[in-house]
Amino acid sequence: MGKPTLRQLAYDNIHSWIVNGELPRGSVTSEIELGKRLDMSRTPIRAALQQLELEGYVRIASKHGILILDSSSERVGDLLEMIASMILFAGILSWHTRQEELILFSRSQSERLAVLLRENDGDARNRQAFIDFEYGLLRDLIAMCHNKEMDKSYQTASSRLLWHLNDRRWTAPYNGTTSEQLTRFVQSLALGMEAFREALFAYLQTLKRTWS
C-alpha cells in the first residue's frame, strides 16, 4: 500500500474526532481551525470535508463554518433500518445457502452472550462489553454474504450512529429488555426465518426507542 494522501490523512483524523466526540455533534468549526490543528493547507481539508458531508457527518455552510451534524431521530431511524435490512438479507441468504454454518454461528454467539450476561449478573453493568458484542455480532452476520459493499455500508452506518458511544439500551430500565431481545435474536438465527424476522424487528424497535 502506498503512503496515504494528505486528503486521506485529513479525512481519517476529522472522522475520528467526530466519532470519539472531540468534535461534538452540533458544534461548529472551520477549515482554518482544522488546518491549524492538522498543520495542513486548506485544500486537502476541504476535500476531506466534502467527503464527510456526502457521508452525512458535517454540513458545509459557506461563510458560516463547518457544522458537525447531530443525529436527528429521523436520520437515526433511517440508519438503523438500513442496518436491519442488511441483517435481514444476510440472515435469509445464509439460511438458504449455508444453514449449517448459520446454526453453528447462532450457537457460538449464544454461548458468548450467556457468559457475558452471567459475568455481569445479568444486569449489563459492563455496557461497553455488550455494545462491542452487538457490533461484532451484526458485522460478522453481514460478512457471511461476502459482499464488500455491504461490509462498508455497515461500518459507515454504525460510525455515523456513533454506535460505541450509545449505551442507553444497556442502562435501567431498558437493559433487562435489551438482554432478553438480544438473546432471542441470536437464538432465532437457528430457528428459521419467521422467528428471525420477529426477533430482529423487536430488537430494532428497542434500538430506535433508546438511541440518543
Side-chain angles (χ1 to χ4, degrees), residues 29-36 42 45-46 49 60 66:
T29 185
S30 68
E31 290 180 7
I32 294 175
E33 290 176 7
L34 293 170
K36 291 178 181 178
R42 295 172 67 175
I45 291 173
R46 182 176 297 118
L49 289 169
I60 300 172
I66 312 301

Side-chain angles (χ1 to χ4, degrees), residues 54-121:
L54 285 173
E55 295 174 358
Y57 290 103
V58 306
R59 179 168 296 148
I60 300 172
S62 180
K63 299 181 181 180
H64 294 284
I66 312 301
L67 173 65
I68 311 303
L69 291 179
D70 201 351
S71 296
S72 69
S73 58
E74 182 178 357
R75 290 178 64 241
V76 165
D78 289 344
L79 289 169
L80 288 172
E81 286 183 7
M82 184 179 76
I83 290 176
S85 296
M86 290 191 291
I87 295 298
L88 181 61
F89 177 81
I92 293 174
L93 180 64
S94 299
W95 183 259
H96 290 295
T97 61
R98 45 176 61 88
Q99 188 175 128
E100 185 176 346
E101 180 183 346
L102 185 63
I103 291 173
L104 290 173
F105 176 76
S106 173
R107 290 173 180 170
S108 66
Q109 296 298 310
S110 293
E111 291 172 0
R112 284 187 58 204
L113 180 56
V115 170
L116 199 57
L117 288 166
R118 186 165 59 249
E119 288 178 347
N120 289 276
D121 300 325

